[in-house]
Amino acid sequence: MLFPELVSDVLLRLPVKSLLRFRCLSKSISAEIDSSDFINNHLKRSTETKTHQKLIINEGSSFYAADFDDNLREFTPLSCPLKFPQSGTVVCGGVLNGLILLGIIVKLEFPIIRLILWNPFTRRCKNIPIYECTSFGQFSSCSLGYDSSVDDYKIVMILTYFNTEGFSSQVLVFSLKSNSWRRIEDTPLFVSSRIASTTGSALYWRCLDDGFREVKILGFNVANEVFFYIPLLPGFGAHVRLVLDGNLYACRIPDEPKTLEFCLRVSDKDGEEAGGSWRKAFVVHKGELDGDYLSMPLTYSKEGDCILLCNIRNKFSWYNLEKETRQRIDINVTGIWDFDYHVCSESLVSLGSDTAFDGEEEVPVDKFNMKT
């Protein structure tokens, strides 16, 4: 008979699909796999060792995933629960810890009219009730964060209303644990990006003042639900904020026109995001392709000597930081051209009660008792 510690160690190394199958082996193994400690430890190990890591691409409701362990050779389709919506366009509100936030918008300048939280690896999804308000904002930003202090996932929605005097914004927070929305303190700045960059514990948006000039990065502490601001460095433009392996970076085009400089945001000794500083992290030399003049990093390789880049034309390559060379990666998915991309680890993260199987077709609205 195997020792429980050994069984647990073996299980932590397995992909989600295998773990779901092994739940039927015994009640004790099923209870182990379903426990919050195991779920968190499995995610932590996968993140730290970069195993079971996926590159997810999507165009509308068409989602595909490829495994980094297989060098992204094959993209397999995921069963999006919002496939073939009757009206509107499916947008992705972010990917975090194996969860994908999905929304439907009628037009780009219109607010989100439906939200679903989806774990494509367990194939469970949960409808998020739309916040009941008297009127919708004319622009909405919706993003996903994680409060590790209480093990709770939160959706932050910023609704912006335009009028003759300028604009005003409302901030709403949905807690997965309490399954409810709350309105918190508004922000006086205009959030110009529909999706935030997230480190999990914090969200980051590019923001504008009432004169619609870019001023700084707006941050949000998911645990304390407090906004903070991060000043920009000279030369930082539209691509000021991105998250690479859980850390905030910014891209700057220096005086040398053939390079891109990436700086890491370092918090101060007290851990205050607003009190930190920028530190030069690495430089990427532009490649020979047309779109290489602007390439964004997605993740480090397992060995840490390379970073995965995607250029402005959605062409991927591994960039060796020491040798300053690129290895191109061909991504060919039939019918997918103008896609978004996300890096995430497989996870068993639960969506709580009132969930549904994502199935092969769109999940019926009445399955969730959706509020209208």
Side-chain angles (χ1 to χ4, degrees):
M1 181 178 179
L2 294 175
F3 293 103
E5 296 82 4
L6 180 58
V7 172
S8 180
D9 184 65
V10 171
L11 292 175
L12 285 173
R13 301 170 185 270
L14 298 178
V16 168
K17 188 173 182 179
S18 298
L19 290 171
L20 295 178
R21 290 202 307 264
F22 289 167
R23 290 176 72 253
C24 65
L25 291 178
S26 69
K27 289 183 178 180
S28 60
I29 289 181
S30 178
E32 171 77 8
I33 293 173
D34 291 342
S35 68
S36 58
D37 285 344
F38 181 86
I39 291 173
N40 291 332
N41 289 333
H42 180 266
L43 176 61
K44 180 181 178 182
R45 186 187 184 281
S46 297
T47 303
E48 291 177 348
T49 61
K50 287 185 173 291
T51 52
H52 317 310
Q53 191 177 50
K54 305 288 187 181
L55 175 64
I56 295 177
I57 65 173
N58 80 286
E59 184 176 36
S61 60
S62 298
F63 281 77
Y64 296 83
D67 201 318
F68 278 89
D69 289 333
D70 193 34
N71 202 26
L72 306 177
R73 286 191 178 90
E74 182 179 0
F75 280 80
T76 57
L78 302 176
S79 184
C80 176
L82 284 180
K83 192 175 292 183
F84 312 123
Q86 294 180 351
S87 61
T89 301
V90 174
V91 294
C92 179
V95 176
L96 177 64
N97 294 346
L99 302 183
I100 300 177
L101 179 61
L102 300 173
I104 291 182
I105 56 174
V106 179
K107 295 181 180 179
L108 286 178
E109 67 270 21
F110 280 27
I112 293 170
I113 61 173
R114 185 179 176 188
L115 285 173
I116 278 187
L117 198 55
W118 173 40
N119 185 329
F121 308 109
T122 63
R123 301 196 63 182
R124 306 302 297 179
C125 55
K126 179 183 179 70
N127 190 77
I128 306 300
I130 295 298
Y131 181 80
E132 296 179 357
C133 54
T134 55
S135 61
F136 286 107
Q138 292 172 287
F139 179 86
S140 59
S141 174
C142 198
S143 301
L144 181 64
Y146 177 62
D147 181 358
S148 60
S149 64
V150 292
D151 193 23
D152 189 18
Y153 287 85
K154 297 180 181 180
I155 299 171
V156 179
M157 180 180 287
I158 301 178
L159 301 175
T160 302
Y161 305 82
F162 297 96
N163 50 48
T164 55
E165 299 178 356
F167 66 87
S168 60
S169 297
Q170 292 183 5
V171 183
L172 312 168
V173 176
F174 177 84
S175 164
L176 183 62
K177 183 165 285 189
S178 66
N179 197 40
S180 62
W181 289 94
R182 290 181 299 104
R183 182 176 175 182
I184 63 172
E185 181 181 358
D186 298 341
T187 171
L189 300 180
F190 174 62
V191 173
S192 59
S193 47
R194 186 175 288 279
I195 303 171
S197 296
T198 178
T199 60
S201 60
L203 303 174
Y204 301 94
W205 297 266
R206 183 169 62 109
C207 59
L208 310 173
D209 61 10
D210 54 8
F212 293 97
R213 296 165 299 183
E214 186 174 336
V215 286
K216 56 187 70 174
I217 300 174
L218 176 66
F220 181 79
N221 186 301
V222 178
N224 300 331
E225 299 184 357
V226 174
F227 285 102
F228 57 91
Y229 303 108
I230 295 179
L232 303 181
L233 290 175
F236 281 53
H239 301 274
V240 294
R241 47 125 191 97
L242 58 99
V243 171
L244 178 62
D245 289 357
N247 296 298
L248 180 67
Y249 286 76
C251 173
R252 184 167 73 93
I253 301 177
D255 296 334
E256 170 57 52
K258 295 184 179 181
T259 61
L260 293 171
E261 182 180 300
F262 292 90
C263 296
L264 169 67
R265 184 69 182 179
V266 181
S267 300
D268 63 15
K269 62 180 180 179
D270 297 321
E272 292 294 330
E273 297 93 338
S277 60
W278 292 104
R279 181 182 301 169
K280 183 177 177 180
F282 55 86
V283 172
V284 171
H285 292 263
K286 298 175 186 176
E288 71 280 0
L289 290 186
D290 220 13
D292 285 344
Y293 67 90
L294 186 58
S295 298
M296 292 295 105
L298 278 71
T299 186
Y300 283 94
S301 63
K302 276 187 177 181
E303 295 76 16
D305 59 340
C306 298
I307 52 174
L308 180 66
L309 297 177
C310 183
N311 72 14
I312 200 169
R313 299 188 185 278
N314 281 353
K315 300 297 183 182
F316 292 84
S317 60
W318 282 109
Y319 182 83
N320 189 297
L321 293 169
E322 182 178 353
K323 298 179 181 179
E324 299 178 354
T325 57
R326 294 181 187 238
Q327 179 185 352
R328 299 292 176 180
I329 299 175
D330 292 326
I331 293 181
N332 298 309
V333 180
T334 303
I336 297 291
W337 307 103
D338 183 20
F339 54 81
D340 295 323
Y341 47 84
H342 319 272
V343 174
C344 75
S345 297
E346 291 185 10
S347 84
L348 291 158
V349 172
S350 171
L351 302 176
S353 60
D354 195 23
T355 65
F357 178 65
D358 61 17
E360 298 298 329
E361 301 295 336
E362 181 183 0
V363 178
V365 172
D366 57 5
K367 183 74 175 176
F368 298 107
N369 297 317
M370 180 180 175
K371 296 182 180 179
T372 57

